[in-house]
Amino acid sequence: TLNGRQRDDAVAGNLLLVDYLREVVGLTGTKIGCDGGECGLCTVLVDGKAQHSCLTLAATCAGKSLETIEALAEGGRLNAIQRGFHEKLGAQCGFCTPGMVMAAEALLRVNPDPDEAEIRNEMASNICRCTGYVKIIEAVQFAAAELKSNREAA
């Protein structure tokens, strides 16, 4: 399942998930950076957990649920994390943003009220060359607060 839709694609045994997403499916929100699992630009969710798609063979994802940055908008509107990156200026050049947003999404699903140390720890596998990470941390905190407010209002 990819972004909520069933897919049935034959893939080569050596095809990386990042290449499958970008070249076969045409979902270019997942970026290619280091090709070695060091930068986090290619972060996607596999069964709800953040995973580097440059280290994952596409064939190993058979029967799993995959989510990319393209899945996060809600009814054509940015979700809380995307809004956080926009409102708190967490995106500078924007190249790392999809991977950062997906890592934050995975974090907030398991820990909806993380403290700053927990955010820093969970976001450590994603590298940004433009910021000092302060705005990224603020973006995740903004999203956590908004999601908490939405839960309390419901």
Side-chain angles (χ1 to χ4, degrees):
T1 304
L2 176 59
N3 295 339
R5 294 188 175 166
Q6 290 293 117
R7 291 195 60 96
D8 188 21
D9 297 312
V11 296
N14 64 349
L15 181 66
L16 292 172
L17 180 57
V18 68
D19 294 325
Y20 166 77
L21 293 170
R22 292 180 60 81
E23 297 171 17
V24 175
V25 184
L27 296 176
T28 58
T30 304
K31 304 296 181 205
I32 298 171
C34 66
D35 282 332
E38 296 171 5
C39 71
L41 294 178
C42 67
T43 301
V44 297
L45 302 186
V46 178
D47 288 339
K49 294 182 171 76
Q51 192 163 323
H52 293 160
S53 61
C54 74
L55 297 177
T56 305
L57 293 173
T60 66
C61 295
K64 297 184 180 183
S65 175
L66 305 175
E67 295 171 77
T68 67
I69 189 75
E70 289 88 353
L72 295 187
E74 300 163 345
R77 297 183 44 156
L78 299 178
N79 80 351
I81 298 168
Q82 293 167 316
R83 279 193 306 281
F85 272 78
H86 175 71
E87 295 288 329
K88 296 299 178 178
L89 306 175
Q92 295 292 307
C93 79
F95 197 66
C96 73
T97 304
M100 290 281 186
V101 168
M102 295 308 289
E105 178 75 21
L107 166 63
L108 294 180
R109 285 184 184 182
V110 296
N111 184 357
D113 193 23
D115 62 29
E116 183 177 334
E118 291 168 320
I119 294 169
R120 286 184 180 276
N121 183 58
E122 291 301 314
M123 302 298 286
S125 64
N126 293 68
I127 296 173
C128 177
R129 294 187 174 139
C130 300
T131 71
Y133 296 94
V134 172
K135 296 294 184 184
I136 292 169
I137 306 280
E138 289 174 0
V140 178
Q141 290 171 325
F142 173 95
E146 184 173 308
L147 291 168
K148 182 178 181 179
S149 175
N150 291 347
R151 284 190 307 276
E152 290 172 354

